[in-house]
Amino acid sequence: MATTKDYRLGEFTFPRGWFMIAESTELDTYKPLAVRFFGKDFALYRGRTSGRVILLDAYCPHMKTHLAAPNTTSYVVIDGQGTNIDGDGLRCPYHAWRFGPDGKCDDIPYHQGAIPASACVKSWTVVESLGAVWVWHDPEGGDPEWNHPSLPVWEDPAWVRPKWDHLGMLNQHPQEIVDNICDYGHLSPIHGSTVERYENEFQGIHAIQRQCGGHRTLVTADGVSPDLHTVTTYHGPGLLMSHLTGMEESYMLIAHTPVDDGTIKVWHAVVVKSPSGSAVATKTDQIAAAQFQNTVLLSFLQDMEVWNHKAPCLNGLFIPSDGPFMKARIWYKQFYNPRAKKQEYLDQCEGVYIPKGATAYSQAAV
Ligand code: FES
Ligand SMILES: [Fe+2]
């Protein structure tokens, strides 16, 4: 395991961006969830009054109790019918101080006087979108630099909304996963792609890969490999969306979020256009879409199997026929450094890149 410092990414240990921290349905039981990301512990819960999702720092300022650790014996939880969520607030199981969605303590049952202003925990900016909960993480504490993750087809009844695959923890720095966006050379040996045309582009917060060709994992039920096009885009450092055409039109989503410095949690989902062509996806479409998601997952697991065992690539032996790894790594640095320095990195990486010997994606009709 290597750290952000080992990769010389910049000033911050954890990047700026929107990051997935849970699937929405994990919060529907109205029990708080103890989660850990960015080297910190958090309490994540859905307010009972408003239904909104709230993320607080985990440890109560009174005596440092974890506000969301599983608890079944405190009378705060027993009297709350199995939860310490109280309205839109969260009550500490130890002495019953209650924290509102803004993180401020608003009730101490055994105290009549003023509540100290320091009786608060940080409340984070979170949104629910794409069936998941996303936090805005910014080492400088700024407002979101770009809009939270979304996809217009998510609201379209002709498309099937997926369940997320929870792929668990990976003992790799996220740099190793982000490298994949420009890994031209692995497409044939790992995925069995023929890669007829290929290019990368870096533009602002987006890192893009366009490619087309046959595939040995993504094949039809008859084993036929269609001419598959994928336009794959990182929207900031934590979410990749790949628009796939040629088989079922779909968007593959891969989200990864740093847990500690050098480890990540990974999720995968595929949003599929109704395979029957129906304007409103049917039950049969849902089954077919879930099967397609499983096939796409097999393709991603081909990458994961390698990542599970590789050593950190701190000094790669790159060749001109590889994808633009060094450009992608410069692009990635913008998120590990102050916003004021962002343009310095973009000046060094923005543009379109074609590996030596490859045919540019845009050179032929799509
Ligand atoms: S430790 Fe939380 S209320 Fe005392
Ligand atoms: Fe891959």
Side-chain angles (χ1 to χ4, degrees):
M1 186 180 91
T3 65
T4 292
K5 207 167 167 205
D6 296 327
Y7 288 91
R8 290 183 226 100
L9 282 163
E11 295 181 26
F12 307 139
T13 304
F14 299 107
R16 175 174 67 255
W18 287 103
F19 291 93
M20 182 166 166
I21 54 173
E23 186 169 12
S24 287
T25 51
E26 291 179 81
L27 300 173
D28 289 349
T29 57
Y30 290 98
K31 287 198 176 156
L33 216 57
V35 296
R36 181 176 175 82
F37 295 105
F38 316 112
K40 284 170 67 75
D41 294 315
F42 300 93
L44 176 64
Y45 67 101
R46 189 183 295 288
R48 294 186 76 102
T49 310
S50 66
R52 65 183 267 217
V53 168
I54 297 150
L55 182 71
L56 303 178
D57 276 354
Y59 296 108
C60 175
H62 181 218
M63 289 177 71
K64 305 298 177 193
T65 296
H66 196 307
L67 295 169
N71 184 298
T72 53
T73 54
S74 164
Y75 282 105
V76 168
V77 177
I78 293 166
D79 293 344
Q81 268 81 50
T83 181
N84 56 325
I85 301 171
D86 180 355
D88 276 357
L90 194 59
R91 234 178 236 289
C92 179
Y94 207 4
H95 310 94
W97 293 22
R98 187 180 62 195
F99 299 87
D102 59 358
K104 291 188 181 137
C105 178
D106 59 10
D107 185 43
I108 302 177
Y110 59 93
H111 173 69
Q112 308 312 325
I115 295 172
S118 54
C120 66
V121 286
K122 181 176 164 67
S123 174
W124 293 73
T125 300
V126 284
V127 296
E128 259 186 301
S129 181
L130 305 176
V133 181
W134 307 84
V135 63
W136 172 254
H137 178 263
D138 185 348
E140 294 175 285
D143 290 333
E145 186 186 329
W146 61 91
N147 288 339
H148 67 77
S150 67
L151 202 52
V153 298
W154 190 268
E155 306 301 331
D156 185 337
W159 289 66
V160 179
R161 297 181 188 186
K163 287 188 175 36
W164 286 84
D165 298 309
H166 294 239
L167 303 181
M169 290 276 292
L170 188 63
N171 285 323
Q172 291 290 352
H173 189 279
Q175 177 67 77
E176 298 286 337
I177 283 69
V178 171
D179 281 343
N180 202 238
I181 191 68
C182 64
D183 195 347
Y184 169 72
H186 92 299
L187 292 171
S188 176
I190 284 286
H191 302 297
S193 309
T194 55
V195 201
E196 308 299 333
R197 303 199 304 275
Y198 180 96
E199 68 193 24
N200 282 111
E201 182 173 0
F202 304 100
Q203 192 66 53
I205 63 154
H206 298 119
I208 306 156
Q209 178 200 89
R210 303 182 189 95
Q211 72 93 31
C212 64
H215 206 278
R216 284 168 65 186
T217 305
L218 291 173
V219 291
T220 66
D222 310 326
V224 176
S225 163
D227 192 24
L228 213 60
H229 292 253
T230 55
V231 177
T232 304
T233 305
Y234 262 103
H235 296 260
L239 173 65
L240 170 151
M241 298 209 249
S242 184
H243 186 202
L244 190 145
T245 50
M247 291 182 72
E248 308 300 352
E249 186 181 356
S250 55
Y251 288 89
M252 176 186 68
L253 314 178
I254 296 172
H256 66 78
T257 306
V259 175
D260 285 293
D261 191 4
T263 60
I264 55 171
K265 211 166 172 183
V266 187
W267 298 265
H268 168 272
V270 185
V271 193
V272 185
K273 192 172 186 178
S274 66
S276 69
S278 167
V280 178
T282 62
K283 190 83 197 148
T284 312
D285 285 325
Q286 287 171 11
I287 293 164
Q291 281 169 349
F292 187 64
Q293 173 161 330
N294 280 339
T295 307
V296 177
L297 177 62
L298 288 179
S299 171
F300 184 49
L301 293 179
Q302 292 172 313
D303 294 303
M304 290 281 282
E305 188 169 20
V306 173
W307 297 338
N308 267 316
H309 302 289
K310 75 186 294 301
C313 177
L314 300 177
N315 294 298
L317 199 172
F318 299 129
I319 55 174
S321 303
D322 275 322
F325 286 111
M326 297 322 293
K327 295 292 180 188
R329 287 188 169 201
I330 294 168
W331 170 82
Y332 192 43
K333 282 183 178 183
Q334 67 177 299
F335 307 110
Y336 284 86
N337 288 284
R339 287 190 210 195
K341 280 194 181 170
K342 174 181 157 152
Q343 196 56 44
E344 282 177 36
Y345 297 107
L346 293 179
D347 287 345
Q348 297 171 60
C349 71
E350 283 189 326
V352 176
Y353 301 91
I354 298 120
K356 189 173 188 315
T359 303
Y361 183 84
S362 46
Q363 271 177 12
V366 175

